[in-house]
Amino acid sequence: MIDFAIFFFAVFVGHWLLNPFPRRWKLFMVAASYLFYAWWDWHFVWLLPASTVIVQLGALAVARERDERRKRWILGTAVAADLALLAWFKYYGFLAINVANALHSLSVTSPLPLLQLTLPVGISFFTFMGLSYLVDVYRGEIPTSGWLDFFVYLSFFPHLVAGPIVRAPELLPQIRTRRDPRRIDVGRAFTLIWSGLFKKVVLSSYLAAAIVDPVFGNPKGHTSLEILFAVYAYAVQIYADFSGYTDIAIGVALLLGFHFPENFDAPYTARSIQDFWRRWHITLSRWLRDYLYIPLGGSRKGEYRTYANIMITMLLGGIWHGAAWTFVAWGGIHGAGQVVGHRRRKQRLERGLPALEEGAWATFRQRVATFHVVCLGWVFFRADSFGTAAQLLWRMVTAFGSAPAVHLLVVVAIALGIYVQYVPRNVFDRVGVSVSRLGPIALGASLAGGLFLITTLGPQGVAPFIYYRF
Amino acid sequence: MLSPGRFRGGFGTVAPTEPDGRHLMAAGRVIAVGMVVFLLWGLFDARSLEKSAEASPKGTRRTAALAVLKPLFAVSRVIQTDRVGSAVERLFGRNPDRPGGSASAVGPPPPVHPSPTPSGGTSPPPGGGLPPFRSPTPQDPFRILVVGDSFAADLGLGLGRTLDQSRYSIAIDGRPSTGLTRPDYFDWGAQFPTDLAKYRPELVVVMIGGNDFQNLFVGGRFISYFRSAEAWQYLYALRVDRVMNEAVAAGARVLWVGLPVMGSSKGLSQAVRRFDGIFEQEAVSRPSVMYVDDWRLFTNASGQYSAYIRTPNGAIELMRSPDKVHLTLTGNEYLARHVVSILRRQWGLKT
């Protein structure tokens, strides 16, 4: 935390000093972003320019080409080349071990060497950003960008390691326009950064250490109630972790005068799985919708083809999160949840009823049911294997007994993580307004106090953000 | 359209207000805010920040953070603002000298896994003719304490998955980022007796050393790992010796689990091999202490680090984490089964 604070302070000063000089500012921002990336792992810094060059060359060629067939071929080649980087680092090990085990059962030696490849931080995110730009250019929705602008776009450090997946039309115009150094929205920025840190360092880390890791690490040693609360706790942990990161990223970008899209909108208040995906990792779900689901045909090719498209999209969305069959199962649960919801809505509409049953009691039931389907998905998402997931689910309904791991603080932390999603957004806005009205000394002292509170309440040696691994 | 001149100023200018009453701030003022934050946070939270920076992985980030923060910490010590921060932490019931991780007792059930026949690993020396462990019952479970760094925390979970927890009570005190070289960061010499008194173990399983590839802190100064290798080794062995003696004096037997081969760097792997030698050397003269060498459990046929290992049932499994240091859950279970099979063979552990 402190090393990032030092880095950001230096970048902040440089950013605003160079702001009146666009070219120098862009070079500075690319250098700062590459340095930021190198701090995570310098071995993979080359990936950023490699991905940038592949995508930009593809986009320029696509934009120049008039023949539709050749245009499609260029697009396919560029997409494949960019995806190849992701596939190699993320999926090779998964493929090799599955091939080796399958061939071993036939007494055949696998031709694929078993390599343990380190997954470069953020590769899934900047690859998806690059692909969205490439496809948008192909579709003629945006013009190609200049080289330097595109380097800034893809490497801009606030979104670099775990999103949000900012689309080219959202960020490139901001990169091209100078930011106004007198109009920094400090109230919103600092509120987001502080709440993001609190969610990550205090809430997420506490739940991970107190119940999630012990239970998922040793299901046989825990009873039904402990497992149930560990699953609830993981639901809150992953929300606090990922939305916390997003809050920090959006807040940091705001301090530099940039606006990122929202990535979370109270996901555990969702009334259906479809609704959940409008609220959870919003920038990913709209990416999947625009670049996968709709090109597959979306809902335009009949009912069953729609269901198939939903399932394909969610299964691929699952494997995007990690190279393991448990992630595919997670995607499958969400796909099935959406298909069932889709079908039910259709039947209701055919009977002349509203798509979703209305009323307080119905809303409550829908929210509880949706949350529990999401929690079922989280079991597979967090478990290290199907065996562990099955054990957790089986013991959840059979291993009754005392539950020492479910103590008051765990329950309060889970309740807090869910409750904050029901707090109206304008409450947070009002906090931001109050913060913005403080003078520099009072604001600095408040922030120092807030950070002190976080380091006091949080454990030392906080684990990296969960989504860094994706 | 905004003119370029508009952007040249603004560093100290009073900024406008939004329609919702939100005040916007100029960049110069934000810098002032940042400096106030750094100063106050650094002065009052110096001890916690210093520990956090010390616990970061070695590298440029850690070096840079410490270089910037050390002077601030020094000032905080002189004007004693660090004590204010520590006092506030105590008010919250927190120990300002705490390291990462926490002790946790792992509770009940699981049935027994079939015993593995590890493909690698060396047999430990015989248990010195000690009587076999007693037969545990659900009323009187056999008490095991697993202590050490993150390797111990993970191994503890692996043992939990492997042993019948209705008859085995496993307490884990695995503290990430700790070791025997830096009592200024976390003092196992003080913590270990507390654990022994608290859990009254019959068996202590120790796995530590993953963070000890560094200079050793003693009497207010550092002994270089490289330049004073002999002194370093002597002092490190003394600390290992002390842990073993305390456990034995408390009536427990000790199973010291060596560290596996490392894939992250050759330097760490060599250092770990050196630590394993010290652990083995200290264990060999004590009948109540047994050393388990798991180095070859995680190597390939040519003795090199391998992330993938073929298990006795024929399947290839990923055993090592992406950092090429820690073990995956599967790897921990694999190691735990190896440890249990040795305990069964050498000390008659009833599974």
Side-chain angles (χ1 to χ4, degrees), chain A residues 3 39 101 104 115-116 179 181-185 217-218 220-221 384 436-437 452 455-458 460, chain B residues 6-7 15-16 18 22-23 25 27 45 48 51 61 94 98 108 110 113 161 165 305 316 320-321:
Chain A
D3 49 358
W39 273 29
N101 282 330
H104 180 73
L115 304 173
Q116 187 185 21
R179 310 288 91 202
R182 299 169 311 165
R183 300 182 61 85
I184 300 175
D185 190 352
N218 179 19
K220 287 180 193 165
D384 61 302
S436 76
R437 290 179 173 178
F452 179 62
T455 51
T456 301
L457 294 179
Q460 259 176 350
Chain B
R6 186 170 169 184
F7 298 96
E18 292 286 273
R22 186 183 304 267
H23 288 212
M25 196 179 266
D45 205 12
S48 154
K51 277 184 179 295
R61 286 169 63 178
R94 307 295 294 259
R98 72 193 188 283
H113 277 259
R161 285 177 156 215
Q165 288 180 58
Y305 167 90
I316 293 173
R320 305 302 289 261
S321 293

Side-chain angles (χ1 to χ4, degrees), chain A residues 1-3 5-6 9 12-13 16-17 19-21 39-40 93-94 97 100-101 104 114-119 178-188 190 209 213-214 216-223 255 382 384-385 388 391 395 404 429-430 432-433 436-441 443-445 447-448 451-453 455-461 469, chain B residues 4 6-11 13 15-16 18 20-27 29-38 40-41 44-45 47-49 51-53 60-61 64-65 68-69 84-86 88-89 92 94 98-102 106-111 113 157 160-161 165 185 305 307-308 310 314-318 320-322 324 329-330:
Chain A
M1 185 154 79
I2 191 69
D3 49 358
I6 295 166
F9 189 74
F12 182 87
V13 174
W16 287 112
L17 283 173
N19 184 55
F21 314 103
W39 273 29
W40 291 104
F94 177 64
I97 197 168
N101 282 330
H104 180 73
L114 289 166
L115 304 173
Q116 187 185 21
L117 299 166
T118 305
L119 181 66
R178 275 170 273 172
R179 310 288 91 202
D180 188 340
R182 299 169 311 165
R183 300 182 61 85
I184 300 175
D185 190 352
V186 283
R188 183 154 181 263
F190 284 133
D213 293 348
F216 277 82
N218 179 19
K220 287 180 193 165
H222 294 89
T223 58
L255 288 176
R382 173 63 177 78
D384 61 302
S385 66
T388 303
Q391 216 171 59
R395 290 188 63 80
D429 291 342
R430 283 206 298 273
V433 170
S436 76
R437 290 179 173 178
L438 297 171
I441 305 288
L443 181 56
L447 285 171
L451 291 169
F452 179 62
L453 185 72
T455 51
T456 301
L457 294 179
Q460 259 176 350
R469 295 200 304 263
Chain B
R6 186 170 169 184
F7 298 96
R8 292 219 172 83
F11 253 69
T13 329
E18 292 286 273
D20 64 356
R22 186 183 304 267
H23 288 212
L24 302 176
M25 196 179 266
R29 284 180 172 231
V30 181
I31 291 172
V33 171
M35 288 167 84
V36 172
V37 173
F38 269 123
L40 293 178
W41 190 27
F44 285 94
D45 205 12
R47 290 176 76 172
S48 154
L49 288 176
K51 277 184 179 295
S52 176
T60 323
R61 286 169 63 178
V68 174
L69 293 170
V84 179
S86 300
V88 176
E89 284 209 54
F92 277 90
R94 307 295 294 259
R98 72 193 188 283
S102 61
V106 176
H113 277 259
L157 288 179
R161 285 177 156 215
Q165 288 180 58
Y185 175 68
Y305 167 90
Y308 299 91
R310 190 177 295 283
I316 293 173
E317 303 269 15
L318 178 63
R320 305 302 289 261
S321 293
K324 299 183 183 176
L329 267 176
T330 312

Side-chain angles (χ1 to χ4, degrees), chain B residues 23-236:
Chain B
H23 288 212
L24 302 176
M25 196 179 266
R29 284 180 172 231
V30 181
I31 291 172
V33 171
M35 288 167 84
V36 172
V37 173
F38 269 123
L39 196 66
L40 293 178
W41 190 27
L43 288 178
F44 285 94
D45 205 12
R47 290 176 76 172
S48 154
L49 288 176
E50 189 169 15
K51 277 184 179 295
S52 176
E54 291 270 11
S56 313
K58 277 185 176 178
T60 323
R61 286 169 63 178
R62 182 174 181 268
T63 312
L66 283 171
V68 174
L69 293 170
K70 285 275 185 195
L72 203 56
F73 298 153
V75 174
S76 82
R77 273 191 282 273
V78 171
I79 60 173
Q80 303 203 341
T81 46
D82 63 329
R83 290 191 175 199
V84 179
S86 300
V88 176
E89 284 209 54
R90 285 196 186 90
L91 269 180
F92 277 90
R94 307 295 294 259
N95 174 9
D97 297 320
R98 72 193 188 283
S102 61
S104 60
V106 176
V112 185
H113 277 259
S115 166
T117 317
S119 55
T122 53
S123 292
L130 293 170
F133 283 133
R134 70 182 174 86
S135 294
T137 63
Q139 292 73 35
D140 185 16
F142 186 80
R143 299 182 303 280
I144 300 176
L145 168 65
V146 188
V147 290
D149 53 23
S150 49
F151 278 101
D154 295 342
L155 176 61
L157 288 179
L159 287 171
R161 285 177 156 215
T162 309
L163 288 168
D164 176 356
Q165 288 180 58
S166 65
R167 294 185 299 125
Y168 289 90
S169 155
I170 303 169
I172 306 169
D173 190 359
R175 297 177 186 253
S177 308
T178 65
L180 297 175
T181 47
R182 296 290 303 276
D184 57 318
Y185 175 68
F186 182 73
D187 189 1
W188 272 109
Q191 180 62 34
F192 190 54
T194 313
D195 284 343
L196 289 174
K198 184 176 173 187
Y199 299 111
R200 296 182 301 106
E202 295 164 82
L203 170 68
V204 177
V205 178
V206 187
M207 195 169 183
I208 201 165
N211 306 301
D212 283 337
F213 179 29
Q214 57 175 306
N215 299 338
L216 185 143
F217 185 80
V218 61
R221 67 193 190 98
F222 286 96
I223 305 297
S224 168
Y225 177 85
F226 291 106
R227 288 196 304 277
S228 313
E230 268 185 43
W232 191 100
Q233 181 151 333
Y234 173 75
L235 290 165
Y236 193 77

